[in-house]
Amino acid sequence: MKIENLPNEFEKARPVMQKIEDAGFEAYFVGGSVRDTILGLDIHDVDIATSAYPEEIKKIFKKTVDTGIEHGTVMVIHEKKGYEITTFRTESGYQDYRRPDKVEFVRSLAEDLKRRDFTINAFAMRENGDVTDLFDGLADLKNHLIRAVGNPNERFHEDALRMMRAVRFASKLDFDIESETLAAIKSNSALLEKIAVERIYTEFVKMMMAKRPKQGILDMISTDMYKYVPGFASHQSELEAIAKIDDLNLSDEVSVWSLLSFEFGLDRTEITSFLKSWKASNDIIKNTEICTKAVENLRDGSLDKWAMYETGKDLLVLANHIAKMYGFAESDEELVSQYDALPIKNKKEIAVNGGDLIRHGIVKPGPALGKILYAIETGIVNGEFQNEKAELIEAAKKIVKE
Ligand code: ATP
Ligand code: MG
C-alpha cells in the first residue's frame, strides 16, 4: 500500500528521513501516526524508527538530544521541531510480566515490528508513503479489529499492560477486540496486578476520554480486568451503570474520576484513598473531591452561592456535565451566569485583609483572625455585605462582638 497525500507532519519530517537514508540506513514512520493516517484521523506526533544505532544518528545530525538513549531514542531537531528517532530493537526475557530484561538494538525492521503490541500498531511507512504491513494490520483496520501481533497469550505474559491498551484502542477507534485476543485477556486479566499503577492509569484515562468508553468499561468487566485495578472490584454494578450512559464525552481527567466517585457513592475520605491507590496527583485528588461534591449539590438542589464559590467556574461546568448524564443538570449558561454574578471569585478579591483588621484594633493576630476573615468571606459571597473596605471594617467589628 502506498499513501499518496501525506499529512503535513510527515512532509515536514521527510528531510530528516532522507538524511538517514542518504547515510545508508533505513528510516520509517511507525506506530500510531501511521495507523491514524490510514484511518484518516488527525495526527500529532510522528515516531521514527531506524536501522541506525543511536551513535550513528548522532553522527548524521548536528543537533540532537539524548531523550532516551538507553532505549535507543535520540531526538533530532529539525526546523525547530524535535523528532524522536528510535533504533530498531527487540525485547526479550520478560520475567515479571512487565518489562523486558534485555533490550537489544537490531538492524532488522521486521524484528522491531514483531515486538509491537497490535497489528494496527505495527505498520512502518517510508518517507515516500510506502506502507509495510507484516501482520495483516490493514485487514484488521478494515474489519475494525484489535488483534495482538503473534500469540496473544505470550504477548500479554510479556507485558500485561497490553491488555489495558487493547481496551484503550478499542475505545479510541470504536473497534472490537478480536476473539482470540479477547479470550487471552480473559484468561490473563489477573496479571494486571503486576503492572505499575501509573501505566494502567494512563491507559485507563485515555480509554475513558476516547470515543467509546462504554465498550471499554464493558470489556473490562467481561474480561474481569476491572477486578485487578485499584478500587473497582466491588463496583461492578456501578461500572455497568456508567456503561449504560450515552455520550459520556469526558473531556478532562477530573471528570473521569468525578464520575466514578459519584457513581461509586464515595465520600471525601473515600475519594482520597481511592485516588491515592491510583497514585493520582494531589491536584487531581483535590479537584475530584470538589467536583464530585458539586455534582451531589446539583443532585440535592443544594448548590448555593457559597458552594458555587468554593467549586469555581471550571469545575462547576465539569460537574454540570456529569449532572447531565443523570438528568439533574442546570443549563450551562444559567449556571455560569450565576457564578459570574458572585461578588468575589476568591479570597484575594476581598477588600480587607488581616493586616487591616489588626491595624484598626479589631482583632489581634491569632486564630480569631482567621475566623473573622472566614465570616467576612462567606458574608460577601452570600450578599450579606458589600465588598467595600469601610463596610467590611464595620462588619468585622460586629462579628467580634457577636
Ligand atoms: P496514540 O495515538 O494514543 O499515541 P500510539 O499507537 O502512538 O497511540 P503509543 O503508546 O504512543 O501509542 O505507542 C507508540 C507505539 O509503540 C505503538 O503504536 C506500538 O507500536 C508501540 N508500543 C507502545 N507500547 C507498547 C507495549 N506496551 N507493547 C508493545 N508495543 C508497544
Ligand atoms: Mg503515540
Side-chain angles (χ1 to χ4, degrees):
M1 178 188 193
K2 182 161 183 164
I3 299 175
E4 293 300 340
N5 290 315
L6 292 183
N8 210 9
E9 289 82 352
F10 292 119
E11 285 298 336
K12 284 196 206 142
R14 283 181 80 170
V16 175
M17 312 283 278
Q18 271 156 351
K19 236 176 147 174
I20 300 174
E21 292 190 354
D22 289 347
F25 300 102
E26 291 173 41
Y28 297 89
F29 295 113
V30 289
S33 59
V34 182
R35 173 199 68 222
D36 289 347
T37 299
I38 301 171
L39 285 170
L41 303 175
D42 287 342
I43 59 164
H44 6 268
D45 282 322
V46 302
D47 291 316
I48 297 170
T50 181
S51 61
Y53 290 170
E55 291 310 319
E56 292 165 335
I57 288 293
K58 287 167 77 166
K59 273 188 203 139
I60 299 171
F61 296 95
K62 267 192 232 108
K63 276 191 227 158
T64 64
V65 187
D66 289 358
T67 46
I69 197 138
E70 65 284 11
H71 313 111
T73 304
V74 172
M75 181 152 56
V76 167
I77 317 286
H78 170 73
E79 299 199 324
K80 293 190 182 148
K81 199 176 157 19
Y83 293 94
E84 301 244 289
I85 302 183
T86 305
T87 302
F88 297 155
R89 59 177 206 226
T90 59
E91 295 171 353
S92 56
Y94 302 84
Q95 296 197 0
D96 50 6
Y97 309 105
R98 48 194 166 145
R99 73 180 92 76
D101 296 344
K102 207 163 119 200
V103 172
E104 215 172 331
F105 300 148
V106 291
R107 298 287 190 191
S108 144
L109 170 68
E111 286 298 315
D112 183 88
L113 296 180
K114 248 172 38 193
R115 69 158 174 101
R116 294 180 181 269
D117 47 7
F118 305 110
T119 61
I120 59 163
N121 285 350
F123 300 116
M125 183 175 77
R126 290 267 321 270
E127 47 85 27
N128 66 4
D130 268 333
V131 174
T132 302
D133 171 25
L134 300 182
F135 310 105
D136 276 336
L138 289 171
D140 288 334
L141 271 191
K142 207 158 140 206
N143 297 320
H144 292 187
L145 288 176
I146 310 291
R147 182 196 307 269
V149 169
N151 178 323
N153 216 41
E154 288 171 13
R155 302 313 307 283
F156 297 142
H157 273 252
E158 289 171 0
D159 180 359
L161 182 74
R162 291 172 186 154
M163 299 188 288
M164 260 320 283
R165 287 174 59 84
V167 172
R168 194 257 278 191
F169 287 112
S171 173
K172 172 186 159 106
L173 302 170
D174 202 354
F175 280 20
D176 291 328
I177 301 173
E178 173 277 328
S179 61
E180 274 184 42
T181 303
L182 190 66
I185 296 177
K186 236 182 206 162
S187 46
N188 291 295
S189 55
L191 293 180
L192 259 196
E193 279 183 327
K194 312 266 182 197
I195 298 298
V197 69
E198 294 90 335
R199 294 180 74 207
I200 303 177
Y201 184 116
T202 309
E203 299 296 339
F204 176 71
V205 168
K206 281 189 180 173
M207 184 277 276
M208 289 297 285
M209 288 169 60
K211 192 166 166 187
R212 199 178 57 157
K214 281 172 103 137
Q215 191 55 43
I217 296 167
L218 291 177
D219 286 341
M220 284 184 74
I221 296 171
S222 75
T223 58
D224 276 351
M225 264 197 287
Y226 80 102
K227 291 182 182 162
Y228 306 103
V229 302
F232 281 24
S234 60
H235 293 293
Q236 182 181 343
S237 62
E238 291 86 347
L239 290 166
E240 281 164 352
I242 292 175
K244 287 208 179 85
I245 300 170
D246 285 316
D247 300 326
L248 288 176
N249 271 324
L250 299 167
S251 59
D252 187 290
E253 213 183 295
V254 170
S255 48
V256 171
W257 298 117
S258 300
L259 172 61
L260 291 168
S261 300
F262 177 74
E263 181 61 48
F264 290 3
L266 306 182
D267 67 23
R268 209 180 179 101
T269 28
E270 289 165 336
I271 294 175
T272 309
S273 56
F274 172 51
L275 289 184
K276 279 214 182 320
S277 65
W278 276 93
K279 300 211 175 140
S281 71
N282 289 337
D283 239 27
I284 294 286
I285 296 176
K286 194 182 90 205
N287 287 335
T288 300
E289 286 170 359
I290 295 171
C291 182
T292 308
K293 177 85 204 145
V295 180
E296 290 165 0
N297 287 147
L298 282 160
R299 177 195 59 197
D300 303 340
S302 57
L303 190 75
D304 54 20
K305 287 179 178 165
W306 181 251
M308 284 203 269
Y309 171 80
E310 282 202 301
T311 306
K313 186 160 24 189
D314 293 350
L315 292 176
L316 267 181
V317 173
L318 286 190
N320 206 39
H321 179 68
I322 294 172
K324 276 176 211 151
M325 301 172 193
Y326 293 91
F328 50 71
E330 294 187 20
S331 92
D332 280 330
E333 296 74 34
E334 175 64 20
L335 196 64
V336 168
S337 76
Q338 281 174 25
Y339 177 82
D340 287 339
L342 292 175
I344 56 171
K345 304 296 185 293
N346 60 60
K347 273 194 184 57
K348 287 187 204 118
E349 293 175 16
I350 302 176
V352 292
N353 57 34
D356 296 327
L357 301 186
I358 293 165
R359 247 174 279 125
H360 280 80
I362 299 168
V363 63
K364 293 204 175 75
L369 178 60
K371 277 190 193 152
I372 295 171
L373 285 170
Y374 181 75
I376 289 177
E377 187 182 6
T378 49
I380 298 170
V381 172
N382 290 326
E384 287 156 33
F385 16 85
Q386 304 274 312
N387 187 27
E388 280 163 23
K389 200 162 193 165
E391 182 169 342
L392 294 178
I393 298 283
E394 288 314 304
K397 284 179 189 160
K398 255 194 221 145
I399 293 167
V400 173
K401 267 188 210 143
E402 282 161 17

